[in-house]
Amino acid sequence: MPGLLRGIARTAVVAGTATAVSNRVSRRQAGRWAQQDYEQQEPQPQAVYQPPPPTQPVEDEMTARIGQLKELAELKAQGVLTDEEFAAQKRRLLG
């Protein structure tokens, strides 16, 4: 009977060792495959923050146009601009 127990014990040790080695090989292969998949992926483009373009309020734009119209009216009143030139410049500003 002692020979039988020794044979069973040896079989259990061999089976346990084989299972442990097999599990380790499987984990290493899975790790390698995951690394290969990661390396083969195309790099994702990084989002670059771009601040929004500066916007000028409509009021500033209108105030600037009104100022330019006043200057044109003064030039017309001084006789520097003719009626046709004033009308053309006014159309260009109000456009």
Side-chain angles (χ1 to χ4, degrees):
M1 192 83 168
L4 182 63
L5 288 177
R6 186 178 297 148
I8 293 172
R10 184 178 299 141
T11 303
V13 169
V14 169
T17 303
T19 301
V21 169
S22 174
N23 288 341
R24 183 163 187 237
V25 168
S26 294
R27 282 194 304 270
R28 275 192 10 221
Q29 275 185 336
R32 286 181 185 161
W33 291 337
Q35 181 68 24
Q36 286 175 353
D37 289 345
Y38 177 76
E39 290 172 356
Q40 290 175 356
Q41 287 179 352
E42 293 183 19
Q44 299 294 327
Q46 296 290 329
V48 178
Y49 173 75
Q50 295 180 353
T55 57
Q56 293 180 337
V58 175
E59 292 178 13
D60 289 344
E61 197 172 306
M62 290 304 291
T63 304
R65 287 182 181 180
I66 291 171
Q68 290 175 344
L69 284 173
K70 286 181 182 179
E71 289 177 17
L72 288 173
E74 289 175 13
L75 289 173
K76 180 183 171 199
Q78 293 172 1
V80 176
L81 291 177
T82 63
D83 289 337
E84 293 83 24
E85 291 172 331
F86 176 76
Q89 291 297 324
K90 183 176 161 183
R91 274 193 304 269
R92 182 183 62 82
L93 280 176
L94 300 177

